[in-house]
Amino acid sequence: WLLPLRRWAGGRSKAAAESISRADALRASKPDRAIELYERALRDAPEELEALWKLATLLDERKLADRAAGTYRRVLSLAHYLGVAED
């Protein structure tokens, strides 16, 4: 279901897109900084489902289970709200 997400994200803000891009680049080497950048993207564009998904998976990878679980719930809620179908 992430592929339709990319198509939907075409209208994202430039600031959010830049934050996501920088976070993606830092994800492996500086995960704490990447988390901050995904969160910044979400402040700039609260309906940025890709940033929310990437944040959730990174929190999960970092063993931050409570934050990851809450973020996954936000992903599901936002996807439902936006009408993103499960593929």
Side-chain angles (χ1 to χ4, degrees):
W1 61 273
L2 223 47
L3 293 177
L5 166 65
R6 280 236 182 249
R7 279 181 248 129
W8 177 85
R12 77 169 47 146
S13 77
K14 185 176 181 179
E18 288 174 3
S19 292
I20 293 169
S21 179
R22 289 178 54 211
D24 289 346
L26 294 173
R27 190 177 175 108
S29 63
K30 297 183 179 180
D32 291 334
R33 180 67 179 135
I35 289 170
E36 292 172 11
L37 289 166
Y38 289 133
E39 290 171 339
R40 178 184 298 169
L42 290 165
R43 281 193 301 276
D44 292 337
E47 293 185 348
E48 181 54 62
L49 193 53
E50 181 180 5
L52 196 56
W53 173 255
K54 289 180 175 185
L55 175 60
T57 59
L58 182 54
L59 291 169
D60 198 12
E61 290 168 11
R62 302 284 297 157
K63 308 290 188 232
L64 299 168
D66 289 342
R67 283 185 67 194
T71 307
Y72 281 127
R73 281 191 293 275
R74 286 177 54 203
V75 167
L76 293 173
S77 177
L78 182 57
H80 177 75
Y81 173 76
L82 296 173
V84 176
E86 295 180 29
D87 289 338

